[in-house]
Each structure stands twice: as C-alpha cells, then as structure tokens.
Amino acid sequence: MALLNSTAVLGTVAALVLYFVTTRIAAWNRLRHIPGPPGVGWSKAVWMVPHQLSGRLCKDLEAVCDKYGPLARIGPEWVVCSDPAELRRIWSVHSGYQRAPWYNGFRFDPNRDNVITANENKEHHRLRSQLLRGYSGKGRASQDSEQRVIDEQILKFVGLIERKYLSDPRSGALRPMDMGRSFGYLMQDATSAVGFGEAFGYADSDEDSYGVIHALESMLLPTAMFALLPSLLALVKTPLAAPFMPRPTDPRGVGRLLKVIHERVEERYSSADRPGDNIKKKEQQAAAAIRDDALQSFVESGLSRDEVEAEALVFLLGGADTTATAIRNTIFYLTTNPAAYRTLQAEIDAAMGEPARAVARPVIADQQAKSLPFLQACIREGLRMWPPISGLFGKVSDRDDVICGRKVPAGTYVAWAALGAMKNRHVFGEDADVFEPRRWVEAEPERLRGMEATQGLVFAAGTRWECLGKRLAYMELGKVLFELFLRFDFAMVKPTQPLEWQNYGLTIHKNMNVRITRRGSVLCV
C-alpha cells in the first residue's frame, strides 16, 4: 500500500512538472520569432517583474526597442512596440483590439470598473459617452466659469510663491520650492475646483492636506504589480485584504477622499431621493441647476450613484497628477535650453505689450494662450520628452496580426514604449532626444502633421482610448506656464543632480528643487 501511495505521489509530481514544462515551452515557442532580451519568453519574472520593480520600466522599454527593433518581446505573452504608425493603427477604433487584463490592476474598487479600467470595448464606450459632457464642459452654463475657477487657483498659487518661495539673488537668500510637491498641490486644487466647484485648499496650507498625494504615490508600485500579475488581484478580493483597502473612515489618504466624494455625491442626489417637502425639493433642484462643475454633469449623465463616485475619484486623481507632471517637466526642460527659455519669455512679453491682443488679466484666457505658437510648442515638446502616463497600456486582439512586419498571434499583449515612440528620429529628426520647441514652429506642414499625430499619442488622441481630460490639461498648461514665466524666473538648485524619479505608469518626482526669482521689469497685472 505504501509503495502504491509513493508511486501515486511521484506520478502526480511528474505530471505537474510535465505540465509546467510543456506550457512553458508552448508559451516560449509562440513568440520565439520576435527578438527580445534573453529568457523573456519563459517567465515575466525574467525581465518584466524586476524592471517594473526598479521604477525605470519606461526607460527600459525604450532601451529594448532601441536594441531589438520597433517590435520586441518582453514576456511570455507580451511584446512592446515603439513604432508610432503601428501604435495609432492598433489603438484605432476599428482595429479589433481591446484593453488587456493589465488594466484590471488599476481598479480603485477591485470589483468594479471605471473608464480607465473597462476592458470590453462596448462597456468602455458606454462609460465614455456618459462622461464626455462632464469632461468637455459643454453641458455647463459656461466654459468661462471653468476658466474662472482655474484662474483663482493659479492666482492663489502665485501668491504662495510670492509669500514663501521667492529667492533674492542680491542677498543670496535661497528659498527653494520642490516642484515634485508644490505643483501637485496646485493641480489638486484646480481639479477639485473644476470637479466639485470647490478647491480642497492645498495651496492654502502648502501641504498634502488629505494625505492623498502620498497615498497615491504609495499605491503606484503595488498597483503596477497587480496590473502585471493579474492573478494577484484575486487576493485583493478576499476578506484578508479588506483591512488594507482604503475606507471612508480613514482620517487621511484615498479613504478620506472617498468620504469627501461620497458626501458630495449624496448632496447632489438628495433632492431626487426625498419624497414630499416640495418647497425644500424645489430649492435643492434650483441649487443643482446652477451648479457648474464636472460632478453635476456626471450625476445628470445617467450613471449609477456608485459609478458617479468611482468616476469622480478617477477625475481627481488622474487629472491632477498627470497635469502636474507635465508642468514641472516642462519647466525643468526649459531651464536646460536657454534659447528656448528666452524665446518663450520674449513671446509672453510681446503679447503683454500688444494693445490689440489685450491679454486677459489677471490670468490669460485659454484661447489667447492657444494663439501663442512658441508657448504651445513648449507644451507639446514637454509632453513629448516625458509623457505624463507611460505604463504598458497593453492591448490584445482575438485575431492574428502583423506588426512591424512580424506575425503576432491572437491573444498577444501589445504594450507601447512611450519614450521610444516620442523619440522617433524619423518623425522628430536626429535631435529627437533634445528638448527643442523650435521644431514645432519651423517644421514643414507635412512633417508637422506627422509630429502632431505622434505626439498626440500622449493623450491617445484620435483613438478609441483618447484621454477625456485632454482639453482641460492643455488649458491648464497654457495658463499656468504663461503666468509663471511672465512673473518669475526659474533655475534648478542642483543642475548636476536636479531631481530623483521613479515611474510606475505615473511618475514620482522627489527633490525637484527650483530657485524662483521675480522678473521685476514686467507688467503682470
């Protein structure tokens, strides 16, 4: 009997080993014709996991494509593409691709999708259609009110700089500002003001009042690993994980923000939920009618209450961090190119000095900012040099495809190399690694169209997954950069070690200290 038991155990073990080896060989074989780092076809643990843990995956994906070509293998079922034309085709509405399970890792609620994580194309389209009004501003009383609340936050931030962060070159007094922190505060205030009609007050306290920014940064690595290893998500759904999930009872962090959102949503729905008391009900309905923010548009869109809460959280966390990253990167890159820096300020000063232009005061209007070609060139170039979102963004098709001349079997996850696509020399020229805004104002029309189409991938422009917040981001970038470079000069405190960074799809900047001085001869009001 013991012999039989031992034989059964050995047989089971042998069968399991044979199954594992067979499946590994099959996984390796299906993409073996696509070049990539050694061993990547056997397991994600060989290359993808360690490079994700390093916080440098975005750069590593660029390096892989530089070495192995525009389509490279990085895992058993993963390839990465840096060819802009192929990426636009794969991301297009009629390509037959949809989001891979990778996106599931970014669910704030592990049991419910949001517009970022909805994999199935029809469900994503439904959510997107219902949210479009809130993001576009078209359903509000006036887009002027949207600009007004953004302008208020910009002026508040300018006041913070003048109060706390102006250095004096004459006395040698240095009062550095960490752009990795402060611009996060500005954009949290601007996004909450647009979203809820009321800023959260980060610039007032000059600190992470709710602990949300710290909590979000702390979540990035675990979230990236959940995305890379979807089987780990099963653990998140168990009761064992419940104590570690954000809860509205938390005093700080994402849980605290969930409570704030829940309270705001409850307030918006209260008038519809209370029968009787017609006078009170009419007052509440009248108040709702004059609310002019994204949340009210979400409420009126037909989304369920739970969906409204989930999308409000996406609006706040996603919109604030990405735009903050774009602003601080653009300022940083401008400090590395004196000619571009001087050209931008000359354009700004000229605009202020032209009576016919009549630049809006105290903050430039969106359309006026869009009319300044070099300012817009700086924005495009800053976004190109370091896309604010640079995760894998895997797409998958149930049909075989040919990408960059190589057959890609159905079921393969196709990631993008964001930095590789944005540094493409065929599109942007031999100096594609250099921050040079002038390329945008000097390019011939045909080349400019190609550059715009490629740089537009930063927001997935013109594709099924175009970023809903693109319009708002460009507005905020134009206004903030105009007003800051009108009033101040910027220089990195440590030019040889200007910042520290980690990237897990979103970028964490630390010690990004900048010296700010006043431009005394410029009329600002």
Side-chain angles (χ1 to χ4, degrees), residues 62-358:
E62 178 188 18
V64 162
C65 289
D66 285 345
K67 183 173 182 178
Y68 295 100
L71 185 74
R73 188 180 193 179
I74 55 174
E77 70 275 29
W78 281 88
V79 296
V80 61
C81 180
S82 64
D83 183 278
E86 290 284 43
L87 288 168
R88 287 197 300 275
R89 178 183 65 82
I90 291 167
W91 292 6
S92 67
V93 173
H94 301 294
S95 69
Y97 279 82
Q98 65 180 32
R99 286 169 167 170
W102 178 86
Y103 283 85
N104 295 345
F106 295 89
R107 289 174 176 165
F108 296 115
D109 180 341
N111 299 301
R112 182 181 293 113
D113 277 315
N114 56 60
V115 73
I116 294 177
T117 67
N119 294 346
E120 201 277 320
N121 287 341
K122 288 184 179 179
E123 174 64 7
H124 173 262
H125 180 71
R126 178 188 72 83
L127 287 171
R128 182 183 176 86
S129 298
Q130 290 177 276
L131 292 166
L132 186 59
R133 218 166 138 251
Y135 277 91
S136 69
K138 292 180 180 178
R140 304 176 200 167
S142 170
Q143 288 191 3
D144 290 342
S145 64
E146 182 182 64
Q147 292 201 56
R148 185 168 59 252
V149 297
I150 293 172
D151 295 350
E152 290 170 358
Q153 304 316 311
I154 293 173
L155 292 174
K156 190 183 296 183
F157 188 74
V158 167
L160 172 64
I161 292 175
E162 293 178 334
R163 184 173 72 251
K164 191 172 179 179
Y165 292 114
L166 273 184
S167 296
D168 187 348
R170 293 169 298 180
S171 66
L174 177 64
R175 304 170 76 189
M177 183 179 77
D178 184 355
M179 293 196 292
R181 285 282 154 269
S182 295
F183 283 107
Y185 302 159
L186 166 61
M187 294 319 304
Q188 283 285 342
D189 277 349
T191 307
S192 57
V194 172
F196 292 156
E198 178 184 358
F200 286 169
Y202 285 84
D204 293 327
S205 60
D206 193 28
E207 63 181 23
D208 187 5
S209 308
Y210 292 95
V212 171
I213 296 175
H214 173 74
L216 176 62
E217 292 179 347
S218 300
M219 289 168 55
L220 289 180
L221 176 56
T223 298
M225 296 309 298
F226 288 142
L228 194 57
L229 305 169
S231 58
L232 292 178
L233 284 175
L235 299 176
V236 178
K237 297 181 180 181
T238 66
L240 293 175
F244 304 100
M245 300 299 291
R247 292 170 294 182
T249 54
D250 294 340
R252 291 176 62 79
V254 175
R256 169 65 175 151
L257 186 56
L258 287 172
K259 180 180 180 181
V260 172
I261 291 173
H262 179 74
E263 291 172 345
R264 299 295 196 281
V265 172
E266 278 291 310
E267 178 188 346
R268 303 300 173 96
Y269 279 96
S270 61
S271 60
D273 288 347
R274 295 174 186 168
D277 193 4
N278 290 332
I279 296 177
K280 181 69 173 178
K281 196 168 185 176
K282 288 180 180 179
E283 291 175 354
Q284 291 167 336
Q285 290 172 337
I290 64 172
R291 287 186 179 118
D292 201 20
D293 52 34
L295 180 60
Q296 190 63 30
S297 293
F298 294 170
V299 169
E300 296 169 358
S301 69
L303 293 168
S304 71
R305 191 179 304 200
D306 287 344
E307 287 174 333
V308 168
E309 292 190 18
E311 298 301 340
L313 185 63
V314 170
F315 184 91
L316 288 170
L317 295 184
D321 183 89
T322 52
T323 309
T325 297
I327 292 171
R328 54 189 174 237
N329 278 337
T330 305
I331 292 174
F332 163 69
Y333 282 119
L334 278 164
T335 66
T336 70
N337 188 327
Y341 191 112
R342 291 192 295 269
T343 301
L344 173 62
Q345 286 192 325
E347 181 180 72
I348 290 172
D349 293 348
M352 290 295 295
E354 294 177 12
R357 190 185 293 270

